[in-house]
Amino acid sequence: MSTTTLAMPIRVDAARASTRPGIGRLVAVELRKMVDTRAGFWLLAAVVVTTVVAVVARALVGDAADHDFASMMLVALQPAAVMLPIVGILLVTSEWSQRTGQITFTLTPLRSRVLVAKLLASVVLGVASLLLSLAVAAPATALAGAGLDGAWSYSPALLGQAAVYLVTGMITGVAIGAALLASAPAIVVYFTAPFALTAIVSLSFFAGVAPWVDTVRATGPMVEEVLSATQWAHAGTALALWMVLPLLIGAYRITRRELSA
């Protein structure tokens, strides 16, 4: 048996080897995780396909008054608003359900940095979804809304609110996933709890409380009209209850939960 002797020594940069990965790399890793699983890939593919189909359907069968840019954007935003939070849930729960947490938290022992990277990746995906909606709604308006008066009237404030609408929905999914750390319960809670609350607060007894705790009622107008100060207060309070509180609970659980083999 013979051995091979290396003519040149392998140089290792000890300084870089011991340096923790930057937040930019962590965000890129989390974005990659969104499409690495079959569920994540097909959910994102479904967002693209459903957005195109919904806008084309509005352009073909909608009334002439519904062919303006505002109406097209309203339709284009809905698929992402419904499906992106599921991607956010899976982004967090996969670390525990797929048992990738050992690798993730070994390479990045400070778990709070991983959670921050997931949140930043969620913001990036939310903005990318807004750009997708714009890319689909604009040509549809140009074709179907040609000659329509005020077809392109769209307030920049509405565009900003649409970004907030998508991003907060995505972060809410991350927050609920972090609080429960299990995919199925988190998805069930995300879809059922707000609507159950909506049914409860629809009673006349809760009329004064409903706008402050009902996310459906508080955030829905973001994509339809420019919000007033009172409406922003309603949205902020509802999001504090459904997004910030679960996120704080999730941060506590993620940083303290034991990893199973």
Side-chain angles (χ1 to χ4, degrees), residues 11-57:
R11 296 183 179 181
V12 178
D13 190 341
R16 293 190 62 185
S18 60
T19 301
R20 65 184 183 181
I23 194 66
R25 174 172 291 186
L26 292 177
V27 171
V29 169
E30 297 303 331
L31 287 171
R32 180 67 181 270
K33 287 179 182 179
M34 293 179 182
V35 296
D36 270 351
T37 63
R38 289 182 180 178
F41 174 81
W42 287 111
L43 275 170
L44 294 177
V47 169
V48 176
V49 173
T50 308
T51 300
V52 173
V53 170
V55 172
V56 170

Side-chain angles (χ1 to χ4, degrees), residues 117-187:
K118 293 181 185 295
L119 293 174
L120 292 177
S122 300
V123 173
V124 172
L125 183 60
V127 174
S129 300
L130 176 63
L131 296 178
L132 169 68
S133 299
L134 286 170
V136 176
T141 304
L143 294 175
L148 182 66
D149 292 337
W152 295 98
S153 59
Y154 194 75
S155 171
L158 272 177
L159 191 62
Q161 291 178 185
V164 173
Y165 181 70
L166 292 178
V167 169
T168 54
M170 182 79 182
I171 294 178
T172 300
V174 172
I176 294 177
L180 298 179
L181 296 180
S183 303
I187 293 173

Side-chain angles (χ1 to χ4, degrees), residues 190-212:
Y190 176 81
F191 282 107
T192 60
F195 291 104
L197 181 64
T198 300
I200 294 172
V201 299
S202 63
L203 300 175
S204 58
F205 179 79
F206 298 105
V209 179
W212 300 92

Side-chain angles (χ1 to χ4, degrees), residues 3-8:
T3 58
T4 302
T5 303
L6 294 176
M8 295 290 291

Side-chain angles (χ1 to χ4, degrees), residues 84-94 173-174 176-177 182-183 186-187 190:
L84 285 190
I86 304 177
V87 179
I89 290 172
L90 297 178
L91 182 64
V92 180
T93 58
S94 62
V174 172
I176 294 177
S183 303
I187 293 173
Y190 176 81

